[in-house]
Amino acid sequence: NVMSLIASKTFRERVLQVLIEIYKTTADVNYSALCQCYFILNEPSSVAQVLKDLLERKDGQGRLLAYQIGFDVVDNENQHFCNALLASSLLKLKEPPAPPAAEPAAEQPVGDGAAAPMQVDEAAGDAAA
């Protein structure tokens, strides 16, 4: 495990920063590994930005990758990180537009305005008894 082999926290963080730069500059970005580096560095805002970018892609793969990364983050079992990610304004849904105000329907009075009494078939009532 790389976390136990490198004793210097500063050196470990620098290595992760270099890995992030490498991941971001490759033609085929490994978003899962990129977010894992951000997770180790405790940067939920960076993960939120990656997820936002993936969700805004027009192909279906972006959304699938975002879901997979979300599952990976939850699997890491760091509740503080998950809560910080959920609180990110980048991942908030926009409020849907308010529905147009409904116009009152014009009421059509029936006859004198009173409801017509319901007719009962008395023969059917006797047969059921």
Side-chain angles (χ1 to χ4, degrees), residues 32 35-36 38-40 44 47 51 65-87 91:
S32 183
C35 287
Q36 185 65 28
Y38 286 138
F39 177 81
I40 294 168
V47 174
L51 292 175
L65 277 168
Y67 283 134
Q68 184 59 55
I69 291 168
F71 289 133
D72 292 344
V73 167
V74 171
D75 281 344
N76 287 327
E77 296 183 8
N78 184 329
Q79 196 65 37
H80 178 72
F81 190 90
C82 289
N83 288 337
L85 188 59
L86 287 172
L91 299 177

Side-chain angles (χ1 to χ4, degrees), residues 43-64:
E43 294 184 16
S45 60
S46 298
V47 174
Q49 183 63 55
V50 170
L51 292 175
K52 179 181 182 288
D53 294 343
L54 287 171
L55 290 170
E56 289 177 346
R57 281 179 29 182
K58 299 300 179 201
D59 65 344
Q61 293 300 311
R63 187 167 295 271
L64 292 175

Side-chain angles (χ1 to χ4, degrees), residues 2 5-18:
V2 76
L5 295 177
I6 301 174
S8 169
K9 181 180 179 187
T10 305
F11 180 71
R12 187 171 55 232
E13 288 175 351
R14 182 67 189 130
V15 168
L16 289 167
Q17 291 292 344
V18 170

